[in-house]
Amino acid sequence: MMMRLTGLMACLCTASPALAGKIFVSNEKGNDITVLDSESLEVIATFPGGQRPRGITASPDGKWLYVCASDDNLVRVFSTDTYEEQPTLPSGPDPELFVLHPSGNPLYIANEDDNIVTVVDVETRTVLAEVPVGVEPEGMGVSPDGKIVVNTSETTNMAHFIDTTTFEITTNVLVDQRPRFAQFTDDGRHLLVSSEIGGTVSVIDPAAGQIEKKITFEVPGVLPEALQPVGVRVRKDGSKAYVALGPANRVAVVNGETWEVEDYLLVGQRVWQLAFSPDEKYLYTTNGNSNDISVIDVATDEVIRSVQVGEQPWGVVAVP
Amino acid sequence: MRFFAAALVVATVLPCAAAAQTEIRMAVLRVDVQGRPPVSRLDLPPEDLGFAGARLGTNDNATTGQFMGQSFVTDEVVATPETALGKMQEIVASGTRLVVTLADAETTGALAEAAGDEVLVFNARARDDVLRGEGCRANLLHTAPSRAMVTDALAQFLMWKRWDDWFLIEGSHPGDQALAASYRRSAAKFGARIVEERIFEDTGGARATDSGLVQIQAQIPTFTQRAADHDVVVAADETGIFAAYLPYHTWEPRPVAGSAGLVPVSWHPAMEMWGGTQFQSRFEKLAKRPAREEDYQVWLALRAVGEAATRTQSAEMPVLRDYMLGREFQLGAFKGQPLTWRDWDGQLRQPILLGSGPIVASVSPQSEYLHQVSQLDTLGIDRPETACRIDRQK
């Protein structure tokens, strides 16, 4: 009954002229996906996400939701409208994170257990290639022009640059311990790679394949070992980058020109992944140990809300 | 060759397919002692103990090495206490300069001495603090945690629980006595009181007999009765004679920790935090069994070398050693923070897991115990206390 009621409310919301978007959160331990209304920030639905859902992303048109169901060894696909499950995609074993080509196809998946990146055509649902990379591939980033996919390997400690036409590795860049996430700036001139155990974010010049700058973090009263950068997002205009600092319970705000940290925003516990709202007004953070998401107002860099979601939220994506 | 390597490091651009392959050869020397089998048949040592960890470490290094023009080879050598020195000489004669040992303290010290200064030895088994103290050697590093580290790790947890009155039961073998001494030291360090101490004499005999539990159920309660009021029983039984019998059999209903119950370990097969699941699944795929502490400790040694080889683009022992002991070195090892070496005694700093049967119950250092340099140095012998007189700082 409760479920029906919220469902009805959701219909009413979406029927209003200013169409509210949706925020999807993968709950790693809860094995489900929490859906929030982006206007009201109310939870409007929860649906099963498969075993151990982690990486989560949406198609460029916002119609389809892709979820790495790590313990199912496949990628689950859902309608963002009806939450109805679509045919699954092959992923290779233990998929953790992935990135979609800017065109919406193919999907590049990091397979932690097999030291490979699997390339999957989302339309034909076939594997196009398997690219051998370093030990424990995790972070996946794609250049804005779609020509380069970057994978980070957590035990090899490299960012591997993969040519998306030949599926060959063209460059390897050594970074600090346990690289978790790779994110290009929208102009394609910089690649940010977070190193969770090394405690740094490497800013890489993709053209030169060289580290330009290492961002370090320092928060008074927080043990240096707790400053563990994971999720990274950069504003479209490149003015600011946001870095989730894991058990430090903070998101660092980094100047996009000087790459200096300007602020630390206190969010929920063990903050891992980040996602902007489509209009970039808000940044959402998943806080795994407090089972909530924090909402950051990007204009003021203030944390304005926290909303309870499922058990151990891992990833987040927002669609219009 | 040297010049070429240095140029590469500065550039940080790595070759995709490196022209020349450099080989980094290591050896793992395991010294097997014929002893009584463990109390539980679940603890029987697998034939590939330690070697399976070496194989995983070699694979991990090789996967990284393919991007660096480096290949990794690890020889596996089994010896007895009688043949150990001869085997070490053979290893050194073959040109290997990096050797991991799985041996007791006495043999480890002798092997490091026999290996000589041209060889770097990694102790992946012996926990004796003497090897890190008076008996320390410049060519000997330790991936196995010391007794002081594991007893401090448990002590911190027990203090966090406010279980500060301990009933210490120790075995009668030298290793048990050394472990008990370490618990006394940890109790004094963290403010626990040992309110009662008893020695469980090992009178020999078979580890188990058919219907043996009938006697145990009668013996352990009487052995533990009339002890002063205590919060917890701490068992110091490195030999593995009696501690496993303590839980549920003590006279007073008290939890057991130490060598049974809540056990401080370097690795636990149920560890899933900080990417640990990935280590477990890679290991189990390879070895077809759960990982043991020795496997993890050997893996640590190989990965430390691999990491140094990646960062320095060198295969030369002195280059790798200096890098490992330097400020730049960090090893990711599924423990939530980088592992580094203590330059005063060659010990690898590492969090200690507290295993309780099928799960990891906690990880020390407990967050309340702070330190001016590294929280990890709240575990074990710190710089001002060390009895090691080798100056590694250059």
Side-chain angles (χ1 to χ4, degrees):
Chain A
M1 185 61 211
M2 195 56 203
M3 199 48 218
R4 277 240 182 111
L5 196 64
T6 50
L8 184 68
M9 277 161 60
C11 292
L12 290 174
C13 287
T14 47
S16 63
L19 274 179
K22 286 176 180 176
I23 307 162
F24 294 87
V25 178
S26 61
N27 302 304
E28 180 181 8
K29 194 165 184 350
N31 284 346
D32 51 24
I33 308 295
T34 303
V35 192
L36 299 101
D37 179 281
S38 66
E39 286 290 315
S40 66
L41 294 174
E42 298 286 328
V43 175
I44 51 174
T46 301
F47 61 89
Q51 296 290 316
R52 205 177 175 203
R54 293 195 281 178
I56 185 166
T57 193
S59 57
D61 59 11
K63 279 187 181 164
W64 309 112
L65 187 72
Y66 299 98
V67 177
C68 284
S70 299
D71 284 356
D72 290 333
N73 299 321
L74 46 80
V75 171
R76 295 194 179 274
V77 188
F78 301 92
S79 156
T80 56
D81 186 29
T82 63
Y83 319 134
E84 210 170 300
E85 185 160 4
Q86 311 298 311
T88 58
L89 299 176
S91 73
D94 198 18
E96 178 162 359
L97 255 177
F98 48 22
V99 70
L100 261 182
H101 191 274
S103 69
N105 194 22
L107 188 64
Y108 304 90
I109 307 165
N111 299 114
E112 280 197 320
D113 275 0
D114 270 20
N115 305 342
I116 52 169
V117 166
T118 303
V119 186
V120 176
D121 187 309
V122 298
E123 314 241 306
T124 63
R125 299 182 206 101
T126 52
V127 173
L128 301 176
E130 290 181 340
V131 186
V133 290
V135 183
E136 290 170 39
E138 163 135 349
M140 298 296 300
V142 65
S143 62
D145 62 9
K147 286 184 177 163
I148 297 287
V149 157
V150 169
N151 161 255
T152 66
S153 49
E154 292 176 312
T155 288
T156 291
N157 302 315
M158 284 180 190
H160 308 283
F161 286 56
I162 302 165
D163 185 311
T164 53
T165 46
T166 63
F167 303 124
E168 298 280 337
I169 292 180
T170 57
T171 308
N172 297 294
V173 180
L174 260 178
V175 294
D176 288 336
Q177 297 293 309
R178 222 169 166 73
R180 288 287 303 265
F181 202 81
Q183 176 70 48
F184 277 90
T185 55
D186 268 23
D187 59 10
R189 285 175 50 219
H190 309 282
L191 168 71
L192 277 65
V193 174
S194 62
S195 292
E196 183 181 26
I197 295 297
T200 59
V201 171
S202 293
V203 182
I204 296 169
D205 175 351
Q210 281 187 337
I211 295 175
E212 307 166 53
K213 161 99 182 169
K214 268 187 195 170
I215 305 169
T216 55
F217 305 92
E218 204 180 331
V219 180
V222 176
L223 290 170
E225 303 89 66
L227 295 161
Q228 301 184 348
V230 181
V232 179
R233 295 291 177 196
V234 187
R235 292 193 63 173
K236 286 191 186 85
D237 63 7
S239 60
K240 278 178 191 170
Y242 294 85
V243 181
L245 294 176
N249 308 333
R250 281 162 175 84
V251 171
V253 185
V254 181
N255 184 305
E257 276 183 25
T258 62
W259 303 116
E260 297 293 331
V261 179
E262 294 185 333
D263 205 356
Y264 293 96
L265 313 177
L266 191 61
V267 292
Q269 293 174 20
R270 205 212 67 189
V271 52
W272 265 3
Q273 298 295 344
L274 308 170
F276 282 114
S277 58
D279 58 11
E280 221 181 61
K281 277 188 183 161
Y282 303 104
L283 182 73
Y284 309 111
T285 77
T286 52
N287 313 316
N289 282 353
S290 46
N291 293 341
D292 57 4
I293 63 165
S294 298
V295 182
I296 294 167
D297 184 327
V298 174
T300 60
D301 282 339
E302 276 177 25
V303 182
I304 54 170
R305 278 284 289 275
S306 66
V307 186
Q308 287 290 305
V309 289
E311 268 187 285
Q312 295 206 334
W314 197 98
V316 57
V317 67
V319 301
Chain B
M1 180 59 210
R2 277 267 170 89
F3 176 74
F4 174 64
L8 258 181
V9 175
V10 174
T12 70
V13 186
L14 311 174
C16 248
Q21 285 277 323
T22 317
E23 186 183 86
I24 291 116
R25 181 174 283 271
M26 297 182 68
V28 180
L29 174 56
R30 194 183 73 194
V31 184
D32 291 346
V33 180
Q34 285 301 320
R36 273 183 290 171
V39 166
S40 167
R41 60 190 307 282
L42 297 181
D43 295 329
L44 285 164
E47 284 205 2
D48 59 356
L49 182 67
F51 294 148
R55 286 166 206 161
L56 182 65
T58 308
N59 287 357
D60 286 353
N61 285 342
T63 305
T64 304
Q66 67 183 330
F67 304 111
M68 306 294 300
Q70 293 176 323
S71 61
F72 292 82
V73 181
T74 308
D75 297 316
E76 300 167 6
V77 183
V78 181
T80 64
E82 293 73 36
T83 64
L85 289 185
K87 294 283 186 192
M88 177 60 96
Q89 280 154 4
E90 285 173 28
I91 291 167
V92 176
S94 75
T96 302
R97 294 290 173 263
L98 300 152
V99 184
V100 185
T101 59
L102 289 160
D104 62 25
E106 197 186 336
T107 312
T108 303
L111 286 170
E113 181 158 2
D117 294 342
E118 303 297 300
V119 177
L120 189 60
V121 178
F122 297 85
N123 162 29
R125 177 179 278 162
R127 288 184 170 180
D128 304 60
D129 284 277
V130 66
L131 282 178
R132 289 96 171 150
E134 307 91 77
C136 70
R137 298 187 53 89
N139 70 336
L140 182 59
L141 302 179
H142 311 271
T143 56
S146 66
R147 285 198 191 102
M149 286 165 71
V150 295
T151 60
D152 282 353
L154 181 62
Q156 285 189 3
F157 179 81
L158 297 181
M159 293 310 287
W160 186 86
K161 292 290 292 180
R162 306 271 192 272
W163 293 345
D164 45 12
D165 287 343
W166 299 1
F167 175 8
L168 177 64
I169 305 178
E170 59 194 89
S172 54
H173 293 276
D176 310 333
Q177 301 279 309
L179 184 57
S182 193
Y183 275 117
R184 280 183 213 105
R185 186 196 142 276
S186 295
K189 180 174 173 180
F190 295 107
R193 284 179 300 272
I194 295 175
V195 295
E196 180 89 30
E197 281 188 58
R198 286 183 193 175
I199 295 178
F200 191 102
E201 288 291 343
D202 179 16
T203 52
R207 65 177 172 92
T209 53
D210 206 338
S211 78
L213 64 86
V214 175
Q215 286 196 1
I216 289 158
Q217 194 170 332
Q219 284 166 351
I220 299 293
T222 51
F223 175 75
T224 52
Q225 70 181 326
R226 294 197 193 92
D229 277 355
H230 54 278
D231 299 313
V232 59
V233 174
V234 175
D237 176 26
E238 204 166 85
T239 321
I241 302 292
F242 66 93
Y245 300 138
L246 292 173
Y248 304 104
H249 287 313
T250 53
W251 184 265
E252 300 287 342
R254 293 288 178 275
V256 175
S259 302
L262 188 69
V263 184
V265 289
S266 70
W267 192 249
H268 190 284
M271 173 69 177
E272 291 205 88
M273 284 188 285
W274 302 306
T277 315
Q278 294 162 53
F279 176 91
Q280 311 286 18
S281 39
R282 278 211 305 288
F283 182 89
E284 286 159 17
K285 206 177 202 176
L286 189 81
K288 313 275 183 258
R289 64 172 174 84
R292 301 263 184 128
E293 286 184 277
E294 282 96 334
D295 295 305
Y296 177 71
Q297 289 158 194
V298 172
W299 180 87
L300 283 177
L302 267 69
R303 276 295 301 137
V305 169
E307 185 60 25
T310 304
R311 303 280 168 180
T312 61
Q313 273 286 287
S314 174
E316 303 298 319
M317 186 281 274
V319 177
L320 300 175
R321 177 197 57 206
D322 291 351
Y323 182 81
M324 277 191 276
L325 295 171
R327 288 180 182 280
E328 299 283 300
F329 180 82
Q330 292 192 326
L331 183 63
F334 313 101
K335 286 194 168 174
Q337 54 181 300
L339 308 191
T340 54
W341 302 91
R342 290 176 180 152
D343 58 18
W344 60 89
D345 65 358
Q347 172 68 51
L348 189 70
R349 291 183 178 95
Q350 55 185 303
I352 298 296
L353 318 180
L354 301 174
S356 67
I359 63 152
V360 175
S362 185
V363 181
S364 285
Q366 301 297 314
S367 55
E368 288 77 5
Y369 289 94
L370 304 178
H371 191 278
Q372 67 274 28
V373 178
S374 162
Q375 221 186 352
L376 292 177
D377 287 342
T378 64
L379 303 179
I381 306 295
D382 203 354
R383 186 189 297 276
E385 315 166 273
T386 184
C388 178
R389 294 285 163 252
I390 292 167
D391 185 16
R392 290 175 194 272
Q393 285 183 311
K394 294 196 178 69

